[in-house]
Amino acid sequence: MEELESKKSTTRFFVELLEIVLIAFALSWVLRTYVVEARKIPTGSMLPTIQLQDRVIVDKFFFKEIGHLTRGDIVVFKPPASAHATEDFIKRIIGLPGDKIEIRNHTTYVNDKPLYEPYILEKSKNDYGPIVVPQDSVFVMGDNRNNSDDSRVWGTLPIKNITGRTLFRYWPLDHFGALAR
């Protein structure tokens, strides 16, 4: 009788353990797919704000629910087909729908006003535009302006391509915190 109870107890333990593992896996999949995701930065296009191999947390839910993107947000997105890329990109929003964007004499202008950009590595070497950002799109650029494949190369980014907005850097620990805006 004790042996039968012991087998039942062992079986119950493994069934409960399997349930816990499956629930944990399902929750982590849902969270990562729809709510928040950790990302490792593979390129230097966002230097000096984000370093190579830094890790950031990306909000994939609340920015969609609030529907509020602002100039200066750093977003993760699926690049448009004209970018000829398969991996997600991370860039800073410079222009919102309806904005006029122009780069001249090494300065970025939004609606004919110079954009204050303390976060860039160096000013753009080349002139660009002017263009007006379509209503369903944004204009994005990397902070490393002269080493970034961005809207200046492949055009404006459809808002529907944005998968998330960065919340903060969590690695390396000595750089933990919000990213420069």
mmCIF file of all heavy atoms in Angstrom, residues 129-174:
data_model
loop_
_atom_site.group_PDB
_atom_site.id
_atom_site.type_symbol
_atom_site.label_atom_id
_atom_site.label_comp_id
_atom_site.label_asym_id
_atom_site.label_seq_id
_atom_site.Cartn_x
_atom_site.Cartn_y
_atom_site.Cartn_z
ATOM 1 N N GLY A 129 17.026 65.754 -48.948
ATOM 2 C CA GLY A 129 15.690 66.330 -48.969
ATOM 3 C C GLY A 129 15.644 67.679 -49.647
ATOM 4 O O GLY A 129 16.556 68.075 -50.363
ATOM 5 N N PRO A 130 14.575 68.391 -49.394
ATOM 6 C CA PRO A 130 13.538 68.141 -48.391
ATOM 7 C C PRO A 130 12.507 67.113 -48.873
ATOM 8 O O PRO A 130 12.277 66.967 -50.061
ATOM 9 C CB PRO A 130 12.882 69.498 -48.202
ATOM 10 C CG PRO A 130 13.058 70.178 -49.523
ATOM 11 C CD PRO A 130 14.362 69.664 -50.083
ATOM 12 N N ILE A 131 11.890 66.431 -47.891
ATOM 13 C CA ILE A 131 10.762 65.538 -48.147
ATOM 14 C C ILE A 131 9.706 65.796 -47.074
ATOM 15 O O ILE A 131 10.024 66.299 -45.997
ATOM 16 C CB ILE A 131 11.153 64.042 -48.143
ATOM 17 C CG1 ILE A 131 11.565 63.575 -46.739
ATOM 18 C CG2 ILE A 131 12.249 63.740 -49.140
ATOM 19 C CD1 ILE A 131 11.272 62.118 -46.500
ATOM 20 N N VAL A 132 8.484 65.413 -47.368
ATOM 21 C CA VAL A 132 7.407 65.471 -46.388
ATOM 22 C C VAL A 132 7.045 64.029 -46.047
ATOM 23 O O VAL A 132 6.808 63.208 -46.941
ATOM 24 C CB VAL A 132 6.182 66.247 -46.926
ATOM 25 C CG1 VAL A 132 5.026 66.171 -45.940
ATOM 26 C CG2 VAL A 132 6.559 67.696 -47.203
ATOM 27 N N VAL A 133 7.018 63.711 -44.754
ATOM 28 C CA VAL A 133 6.740 62.350 -44.290
ATOM 29 C C VAL A 133 5.253 62.044 -44.520
ATOM 30 O O VAL A 133 4.392 62.795 -44.065
ATOM 31 C CB VAL A 133 7.102 62.190 -42.795
ATOM 32 C CG1 VAL A 133 6.820 60.777 -42.327
ATOM 33 C CG2 VAL A 133 8.557 62.577 -42.551
ATOM 34 N N PRO A 134 4.937 60.939 -45.217
ATOM 35 C CA PRO A 134 3.534 60.567 -45.433
ATOM 36 C C PRO A 134 2.794 60.301 -44.117
ATOM 37 O O PRO A 134 3.415 60.012 -43.086
ATOM 38 C CB PRO A 134 3.624 59.278 -46.260
ATOM 39 C CG PRO A 134 4.987 59.281 -46.853
ATOM 40 C CD PRO A 134 5.860 60.020 -45.877
ATOM 41 N N GLN A 135 1.466 60.362 -44.164
ATOM 42 C CA GLN A 135 0.643 60.237 -42.959
ATOM 43 C C GLN A 135 0.783 58.894 -42.242
ATOM 44 O O GLN A 135 0.592 58.823 -41.047
ATOM 45 C CB GLN A 135 -0.828 60.495 -43.296
ATOM 46 C CG GLN A 135 -1.128 61.953 -43.519
ATOM 47 C CD GLN A 135 -0.717 62.817 -42.332
ATOM 48 O OE1 GLN A 135 -1.028 62.541 -41.186
ATOM 49 N NE2 GLN A 135 0.022 63.883 -42.616
ATOM 50 N N ASP A 136 1.107 57.836 -42.928
ATOM 51 C CA ASP A 136 1.186 56.520 -42.297
ATOM 52 C C ASP A 136 2.632 56.097 -42.018
ATOM 53 O O ASP A 136 2.906 54.918 -41.827
ATOM 54 C CB ASP A 136 0.505 55.476 -43.182
ATOM 55 C CG ASP A 136 1.157 55.362 -44.562
ATOM 56 O OD1 ASP A 136 1.973 56.249 -44.931
ATOM 57 O OD2 ASP A 136 0.865 54.391 -45.282
ATOM 58 N N SER A 137 3.540 57.054 -41.987
ATOM 59 C CA SER A 137 4.964 56.741 -41.891
ATOM 60 C C SER A 137 5.697 57.660 -40.920
ATOM 61 O O SER A 137 5.146 58.664 -40.478
ATOM 62 C CB SER A 137 5.617 56.868 -43.279
ATOM 63 O OG SER A 137 5.032 55.989 -44.196
ATOM 64 N N VAL A 138 6.943 57.287 -40.627
ATOM 65 C CA VAL A 138 7.866 58.129 -39.870
ATOM 66 C C VAL A 138 9.201 58.133 -40.608
ATOM 67 O O VAL A 138 9.449 57.292 -41.475
ATOM 68 C CB VAL A 138 8.060 57.628 -38.405
ATOM 69 C CG1 VAL A 138 6.797 57.814 -37.593
ATOM 70 C CG2 VAL A 138 8.536 56.194 -38.353
ATOM 71 N N PHE A 139 10.041 59.085 -40.255
ATOM 72 C CA PHE A 139 11.388 59.191 -40.819
ATOM 73 C C PHE A 139 12.352 58.833 -39.707
ATOM 74 O O PHE A 139 12.312 59.440 -38.639
ATOM 75 C CB PHE A 139 11.634 60.617 -41.315
ATOM 76 C CG PHE A 139 12.878 60.776 -42.135
ATOM 77 C CD1 PHE A 139 12.850 60.605 -43.508
ATOM 78 C CD2 PHE A 139 14.086 61.107 -41.532
ATOM 79 C CE1 PHE A 139 14.001 60.770 -44.273
ATOM 80 C CE2 PHE A 139 15.234 61.271 -42.277
ATOM 81 C CZ PHE A 139 15.193 61.099 -43.653
ATOM 82 N N VAL A 140 13.198 57.829 -39.914
ATOM 83 C CA VAL A 140 14.115 57.364 -38.867
ATOM 84 C C VAL A 140 15.566 57.476 -39.331
ATOM 85 O O VAL A 140 15.863 57.334 -40.513
ATOM 86 C CB VAL A 140 13.809 55.899 -38.450
ATOM 87 C CG1 VAL A 140 12.437 55.771 -37.828
ATOM 88 C CG2 VAL A 140 13.940 54.943 -39.622
ATOM 89 N N MET A 141 16.440 57.745 -38.363
ATOM 90 C CA MET A 141 17.874 57.765 -38.641
ATOM 91 C C MET A 141 18.617 57.181 -37.444
ATOM 92 O O MET A 141 18.147 57.265 -36.309
ATOM 93 C CB MET A 141 18.384 59.196 -38.889
ATOM 94 C CG MET A 141 17.895 59.806 -40.174
ATOM 95 S SD MET A 141 18.824 61.276 -40.702
ATOM 96 C CE MET A 141 18.344 62.488 -39.514
ATOM 97 N N GLY A 142 19.789 56.624 -37.723
ATOM 98 C CA GLY A 142 20.666 56.175 -36.658
ATOM 99 C C GLY A 142 21.414 57.355 -36.068
ATOM 100 O O GLY A 142 21.625 58.370 -36.746
ATOM 101 N N ASP A 143 21.827 57.250 -34.817
ATOM 102 C CA ASP A 143 22.587 58.325 -34.177
ATOM 103 C C ASP A 143 24.002 58.431 -34.750
ATOM 104 O O ASP A 143 24.628 59.472 -34.663
ATOM 105 C CB ASP A 143 22.648 58.110 -32.666
ATOM 106 C CG ASP A 143 21.295 58.311 -31.998
ATOM 107 O OD1 ASP A 143 20.331 58.714 -32.689
ATOM 108 O OD2 ASP A 143 21.198 58.058 -30.782
ATOM 109 N N ASN A 144 24.498 57.359 -35.309
ATOM 110 C CA ASN A 144 25.786 57.350 -35.988
ATOM 111 C C ASN A 144 25.506 57.707 -37.453
ATOM 112 O O ASN A 144 25.542 56.872 -38.341
ATOM 113 C CB ASN A 144 26.432 55.975 -35.860
ATOM 114 C CG ASN A 144 27.844 55.926 -36.382
ATOM 115 O OD1 ASN A 144 28.348 56.881 -36.947
ATOM 116 N ND2 ASN A 144 28.476 54.779 -36.197
ATOM 117 N N ARG A 145 25.196 58.980 -37.685
ATOM 118 C CA ARG A 145 24.626 59.455 -38.935
ATOM 119 C C ARG A 145 25.385 59.040 -40.188
ATOM 120 O O ARG A 145 24.791 58.792 -41.219
ATOM 121 C CB ARG A 145 24.488 60.981 -38.916
ATOM 122 C CG ARG A 145 23.481 61.464 -37.919
ATOM 123 C CD ARG A 145 22.090 61.004 -38.360
ATOM 124 N NE ARG A 145 21.151 60.944 -37.273
ATOM 125 C CZ ARG A 145 20.509 61.965 -36.769
ATOM 126 N NH1 ARG A 145 20.715 63.166 -37.240
ATOM 127 N NH2 ARG A 145 19.667 61.789 -35.776
ATOM 128 N N ASN A 146 26.679 58.970 -40.127
ATOM 129 C CA ASN A 146 27.461 58.662 -41.319
ATOM 130 C C ASN A 146 27.757 57.174 -41.470
ATOM 131 O O ASN A 146 28.504 56.775 -42.364
ATOM 132 C CB ASN A 146 28.740 59.498 -41.321
ATOM 133 C CG ASN A 146 28.400 60.975 -41.399
ATOM 134 O OD1 ASN A 146 27.646 61.399 -42.265
ATOM 135 N ND2 ASN A 146 28.914 61.744 -40.464
ATOM 136 N N ASN A 147 27.158 56.364 -40.615
ATOM 137 C CA ASN A 147 27.318 54.905 -40.702
ATOM 138 C C ASN A 147 25.989 54.242 -40.335
ATOM 139 O O ASN A 147 25.942 53.407 -39.445
ATOM 140 C CB ASN A 147 28.444 54.442 -39.772
ATOM 141 C CG ASN A 147 28.792 52.999 -39.999
ATOM 142 O OD1 ASN A 147 28.513 52.429 -41.042
ATOM 143 N ND2 ASN A 147 29.394 52.382 -39.004
ATOM 144 N N SER A 148 24.928 54.663 -41.001
ATOM 145 C CA SER A 148 23.597 54.150 -40.688
ATOM 146 C C SER A 148 22.781 53.968 -41.956
ATOM 147 O O SER A 148 22.648 54.904 -42.754
ATOM 148 C CB SER A 148 22.872 55.098 -39.732
ATOM 149 O OG SER A 148 21.570 54.638 -39.474
ATOM 150 N N ASP A 149 22.249 52.783 -42.135
ATOM 151 C CA ASP A 149 21.324 52.482 -43.227
ATOM 152 C C ASP A 149 19.933 52.843 -42.716
ATOM 153 O O ASP A 149 19.367 52.131 -41.898
ATOM 154 C CB ASP A 149 21.443 50.992 -43.566
ATOM 155 C CG ASP A 149 20.619 50.592 -44.762
ATOM 156 O OD1 ASP A 149 20.131 51.470 -45.497
ATOM 157 O OD2 ASP A 149 20.448 49.375 -44.965
ATOM 158 N N ASP A 150 19.387 53.964 -43.158
ATOM 159 C CA ASP A 150 18.138 54.465 -42.573
ATOM 160 C C ASP A 150 17.253 55.122 -43.623
ATOM 161 O O ASP A 150 17.432 54.878 -44.824
ATOM 162 C CB ASP A 150 18.436 55.402 -41.399
ATOM 163 C CG ASP A 150 19.392 56.534 -41.746
ATOM 164 O OD1 ASP A 150 19.295 57.069 -42.871
ATOM 165 O OD2 ASP A 150 20.231 56.896 -40.895
ATOM 166 N N SER A 151 16.300 55.942 -43.199
ATOM 167 C CA SER A 151 15.329 56.544 -44.119
ATOM 168 C C SER A 151 15.974 57.369 -45.227
ATOM 169 O O SER A 151 15.372 57.558 -46.283
ATOM 170 C CB SER A 151 14.336 57.419 -43.343
ATOM 171 O OG SER A 151 13.431 56.631 -42.629
ATOM 172 N N ARG A 152 17.162 57.862 -45.017
ATOM 173 C CA ARG A 152 17.844 58.606 -46.070
ATOM 174 C C ARG A 152 18.202 57.690 -47.234
ATOM 175 O O ARG A 152 18.355 58.145 -48.360
ATOM 176 C CB ARG A 152 19.109 59.280 -45.533
ATOM 177 C CG ARG A 152 18.817 60.329 -44.486
ATOM 178 C CD ARG A 152 20.066 60.762 -43.791
ATOM 179 N NE ARG A 152 20.626 59.630 -43.055
ATOM 180 C CZ ARG A 152 21.831 59.606 -42.518
ATOM 181 N NH1 ARG A 152 22.638 60.639 -42.649
ATOM 182 N NH2 ARG A 152 22.246 58.554 -41.844
ATOM 183 N N VAL A 153 18.342 56.399 -46.956
ATOM 184 C CA VAL A 153 18.726 55.427 -47.979
ATOM 185 C C VAL A 153 17.501 54.753 -48.593
ATOM 186 O O VAL A 153 17.379 54.661 -49.811
ATOM 187 C CB VAL A 153 19.670 54.352 -47.385
ATOM 188 C CG1 VAL A 153 20.005 53.283 -48.404
ATOM 189 C CG2 VAL A 153 20.928 55.001 -46.819
ATOM 190 N N TRP A 154 16.580 54.274 -47.765
ATOM 191 C CA TRP A 154 15.454 53.467 -48.253
ATOM 192 C C TRP A 154 14.083 54.110 -48.084
ATOM 193 O O TRP A 154 13.068 53.488 -48.347
ATOM 194 C CB TRP A 154 15.464 52.076 -47.641
ATOM 195 C CG TRP A 154 15.873 51.975 -46.203
ATOM 196 C CD1 TRP A 154 17.086 51.551 -45.740
ATOM 197 C CD2 TRP A 154 15.094 52.294 -45.043
ATOM 198 N NE1 TRP A 154 17.100 51.593 -44.369
ATOM 199 C CE2 TRP A 154 15.885 52.049 -43.912
ATOM 200 C CE3 TRP A 154 13.801 52.778 -44.853
ATOM 201 C CZ2 TRP A 154 15.444 52.261 -42.621
ATOM 202 C CZ3 TRP A 154 13.343 52.990 -43.557
ATOM 203 C CH2 TRP A 154 14.178 52.719 -42.473
ATOM 204 N N GLY A 155 14.032 55.352 -47.679
ATOM 205 C CA GLY A 155 12.754 56.068 -47.620
ATOM 206 C C GLY A 155 12.107 56.016 -46.249
ATOM 207 O O GLY A 155 12.674 55.507 -45.287
ATOM 208 N N THR A 156 10.907 56.559 -46.182
ATOM 209 C CA THR A 156 10.199 56.611 -44.898
ATOM 210 C C THR A 156 9.785 55.209 -44.459
ATOM 211 O O THR A 156 9.687 54.286 -45.274
ATOM 212 C CB THR A 156 8.964 57.524 -44.994
ATOM 213 O OG1 THR A 156 8.106 57.041 -46.015
ATOM 214 C CG2 THR A 156 9.371 58.961 -45.269
ATOM 215 N N LEU A 157 9.537 55.088 -43.165
ATOM 216 C CA LEU A 157 9.183 53.799 -42.569
ATOM 217 C C LEU A 157 7.688 53.758 -42.282
ATOM 218 O O LEU A 157 7.182 54.610 -41.534
ATOM 219 C CB LEU A 157 9.962 53.613 -41.254
ATOM 220 C CG LEU A 157 9.588 52.392 -40.432
ATOM 221 C CD1 LEU A 157 10.043 51.117 -41.123
ATOM 222 C CD2 LEU A 157 10.206 52.483 -39.038
ATOM 223 N N PRO A 158 6.968 52.786 -42.849
ATOM 224 C CA PRO A 158 5.552 52.652 -42.492
ATOM 225 C C PRO A 158 5.403 52.358 -40.992
ATOM 226 O O PRO A 158 6.121 51.511 -40.449
ATOM 227 C CB PRO A 158 5.077 51.457 -43.325
ATOM 228 C CG PRO A 158 6.067 51.354 -44.451
ATOM 229 C CD PRO A 158 7.375 51.833 -43.870
ATOM 230 N N ILE A 159 4.516 53.065 -40.335
ATOM 231 C CA ILE A 159 4.315 52.882 -38.894
ATOM 232 C C ILE A 159 3.960 51.436 -38.569
ATOM 233 O O ILE A 159 4.375 50.905 -37.539
ATOM 234 C CB ILE A 159 3.245 53.873 -38.370
ATOM 235 C CG1 ILE A 159 3.800 55.300 -38.429
ATOM 236 C CG2 ILE A 159 2.813 53.518 -36.949
ATOM 237 C CD1 ILE A 159 2.783 56.387 -38.123
ATOM 238 N N LYS A 160 3.254 50.763 -39.474
ATOM 239 C CA LYS A 160 2.860 49.370 -39.231
ATOM 240 C C LYS A 160 4.069 48.436 -39.097
ATOM 241 O O LYS A 160 3.956 47.357 -38.539
ATOM 242 C CB LYS A 160 1.925 48.874 -40.329
ATOM 243 C CG LYS A 160 2.592 48.753 -41.677
ATOM 244 C CD LYS A 160 1.656 48.273 -42.760
ATOM 245 C CE LYS A 160 2.453 48.164 -44.059
ATOM 246 N NZ LYS A 160 1.646 47.775 -45.160
ATOM 247 N N ASN A 161 5.235 48.852 -39.594
ATOM 248 C CA ASN A 161 6.443 48.023 -39.489
ATOM 249 C C ASN A 161 7.087 48.086 -38.103
ATOM 250 O O ASN A 161 7.953 47.277 -37.783
ATOM 251 C CB ASN A 161 7.483 48.454 -40.518
ATOM 252 C CG ASN A 161 7.130 48.051 -41.921
ATOM 253 O OD1 ASN A 161 5.957 47.963 -42.280
ATOM 254 N ND2 ASN A 161 8.128 47.805 -42.745
ATOM 255 N N ILE A 162 6.703 49.060 -37.294
ATOM 256 C CA ILE A 162 7.317 49.212 -35.969
ATOM 257 C C ILE A 162 6.801 48.127 -35.043
ATOM 258 O O ILE A 162 5.601 47.962 -34.871
ATOM 259 C CB ILE A 162 7.029 50.612 -35.387
ATOM 260 C CG1 ILE A 162 7.644 51.687 -36.292
ATOM 261 C CG2 ILE A 162 7.582 50.724 -33.962
ATOM 262 C CD1 ILE A 162 7.303 53.105 -35.887
ATOM 263 N N THR A 163 7.744 47.384 -34.444
ATOM 264 C CA THR A 163 7.366 46.296 -33.532
ATOM 265 C C THR A 163 7.470 46.708 -32.074
ATOM 266 O O THR A 163 6.889 46.054 -31.214
ATOM 267 C CB THR A 163 8.221 45.037 -33.766
ATOM 268 O OG1 THR A 163 9.597 45.371 -33.622
ATOM 269 C CG2 THR A 163 7.983 44.466 -35.151
ATOM 270 N N GLY A 164 8.221 47.765 -31.788
ATOM 271 C CA GLY A 164 8.339 48.186 -30.396
ATOM 272 C C GLY A 164 9.182 49.424 -30.229
ATOM 273 O O GLY A 164 9.877 49.865 -31.143
ATOM 274 N N ARG A 165 9.097 49.970 -29.024
ATOM 275 C CA ARG A 165 9.867 51.157 -28.644
ATOM 276 C C ARG A 165 10.785 50.762 -27.494
ATOM 277 O O ARG A 165 10.355 50.104 -26.550
ATOM 278 C CB ARG A 165 8.915 52.274 -28.219
ATOM 279 C CG ARG A 165 9.612 53.504 -27.713
ATOM 280 C CD ARG A 165 8.690 54.650 -27.375
ATOM 281 N NE ARG A 165 7.492 54.191 -26.696
ATOM 282 C CZ ARG A 165 6.313 54.799 -26.778
ATOM 283 N NH1 ARG A 165 6.175 55.883 -27.493
ATOM 284 N NH2 ARG A 165 5.279 54.339 -26.138
ATOM 285 N N THR A 166 12.036 51.198 -27.554
ATOM 286 C CA THR A 166 12.963 50.837 -26.478
ATOM 287 C C THR A 166 12.566 51.539 -25.189
ATOM 288 O O THR A 166 12.170 52.703 -25.188
ATOM 289 C CB THR A 166 14.426 51.198 -26.819
ATOM 290 O OG1 THR A 166 14.517 52.589 -27.045
ATOM 291 C CG2 THR A 166 14.921 50.424 -28.022
ATOM 292 N N LEU A 167 12.670 50.804 -24.091
ATOM 293 C CA LEU A 167 12.377 51.364 -22.777
ATOM 294 C C LEU A 167 13.652 51.779 -22.070
ATOM 295 O O LEU A 167 13.768 52.884 -21.575
ATOM 296 C CB LEU A 167 11.624 50.347 -21.921
ATOM 297 C CG LEU A 167 10.216 49.997 -22.389
ATOM 298 C CD1 LEU A 167 9.627 48.898 -21.525
ATOM 299 C CD2 LEU A 167 9.331 51.231 -22.376
ATOM 300 N N PHE A 168 14.618 50.861 -22.014
ATOM 301 C CA PHE A 168 15.877 51.163 -21.345
ATOM 302 C C PHE A 168 16.927 50.120 -21.699
ATOM 303 O O PHE A 168 16.618 49.056 -22.230
ATOM 304 C CB PHE A 168 15.694 51.238 -19.820
ATOM 305 C CG PHE A 168 15.185 49.961 -19.205
ATOM 306 C CD1 PHE A 168 16.049 48.966 -18.772
ATOM 307 C CD2 PHE A 168 13.818 49.746 -19.048
ATOM 308 C CE1 PHE A 168 15.584 47.799 -18.210
ATOM 309 C CE2 PHE A 168 13.331 48.587 -18.484
ATOM 310 C CZ PHE A 168 14.214 47.599 -18.061
ATOM 311 N N ARG A 169 18.178 50.458 -21.391
ATOM 312 C CA ARG A 169 19.300 49.526 -21.559
ATOM 313 C C ARG A 169 19.475 48.805 -20.225
ATOM 314 O O ARG A 169 19.484 49.422 -19.170
ATOM 315 C CB ARG A 169 20.567 50.306 -21.914
ATOM 316 C CG ARG A 169 21.799 49.454 -22.001
ATOM 317 C CD ARG A 169 23.082 50.234 -22.265
ATOM 318 N NE ARG A 169 22.962 51.654 -22.051
ATOM 319 C CZ ARG A 169 23.206 52.584 -22.976
ATOM 320 N NH1 ARG A 169 23.589 52.252 -24.178
ATOM 321 N NH2 ARG A 169 23.078 53.858 -22.694
ATOM 322 N N TYR A 170 19.626 47.487 -20.267
ATOM 323 C CA TYR A 170 19.840 46.731 -19.030
ATOM 324 C C TYR A 170 21.210 46.072 -18.962
ATOM 325 O O TYR A 170 21.603 45.570 -17.900
ATOM 326 C CB TYR A 170 18.728 45.690 -18.825
ATOM 327 C CG TYR A 170 18.788 44.501 -19.766
ATOM 328 C CD1 TYR A 170 19.476 43.342 -19.416
ATOM 329 C CD2 TYR A 170 18.153 44.534 -20.996
ATOM 330 C CE1 TYR A 170 19.528 42.255 -20.265
ATOM 331 C CE2 TYR A 170 18.186 43.458 -21.843
ATOM 332 C CZ TYR A 170 18.877 42.325 -21.477
ATOM 333 O OH TYR A 170 18.933 41.245 -22.324
ATOM 334 N N TRP A 171 21.961 46.101 -20.070
ATOM 335 C CA TRP A 171 23.300 45.524 -20.057
ATOM 336 C C TRP A 171 24.168 46.312 -21.006
ATOM 337 O O TRP A 171 23.700 46.628 -22.103
ATOM 338 C CB TRP A 171 23.252 44.052 -20.477
ATOM 339 C CG TRP A 171 24.549 43.360 -20.252
ATOM 340 C CD1 TRP A 171 25.523 43.120 -21.176
ATOM 341 C CD2 TRP A 171 25.015 42.823 -19.018
ATOM 342 N NE1 TRP A 171 26.563 42.474 -20.591
ATOM 343 C CE2 TRP A 171 26.279 42.274 -19.265
ATOM 344 C CE3 TRP A 171 24.499 42.763 -17.738
ATOM 345 C CZ2 TRP A 171 27.022 41.668 -18.270
ATOM 346 C CZ3 TRP A 171 25.238 42.160 -16.754
ATOM 347 C CH2 TRP A 171 26.483 41.617 -17.021
ATOM 348 N N PRO A 172 25.356 46.645 -20.623
ATOM 349 C CA PRO A 172 26.056 46.310 -19.381
ATOM 350 C C PRO A 172 25.491 47.100 -18.197
ATOM 351 O O PRO A 172 24.943 48.188 -18.366
ATOM 352 C CB PRO A 172 27.505 46.702 -19.657
ATOM 353 C CG PRO A 172 27.427 47.737 -20.731
ATOM 354 C CD PRO A 172 26.196 47.441 -21.528
ATOM 355 N N LEU A 173 25.656 46.517 -17.036
ATOM 356 C CA LEU A 173 25.058 47.086 -15.829
ATOM 357 C C LEU A 173 25.529 48.507 -15.536
ATOM 358 O O LEU A 173 24.761 49.318 -15.023
ATOM 359 C CB LEU A 173 25.328 46.189 -14.617
ATOM 360 C CG LEU A 173 24.553 44.870 -14.603
ATOM 361 C CD1 LEU A 173 24.974 44.028 -13.390
ATOM 362 C CD2 LEU A 173 23.057 45.102 -14.594
ATOM 363 N N ASP A 174 26.765 48.826 -15.886
ATOM 364 C CA ASP A 174 27.258 50.181 -15.593
ATOM 365 C C ASP A 174 26.636 51.236 -16.518
ATOM 366 O O ASP A 174 26.835 52.431 -16.321
ATOM 367 C CB ASP A 174 28.792 50.241 -15.639
ATOM 368 C CG ASP A 174 29.368 49.856 -16.982
ATOM 369 O OD1 ASP A 174 28.711 49.113 -17.738
ATOM 370 O OD2 ASP A 174 30.494 50.278 -17.276
#
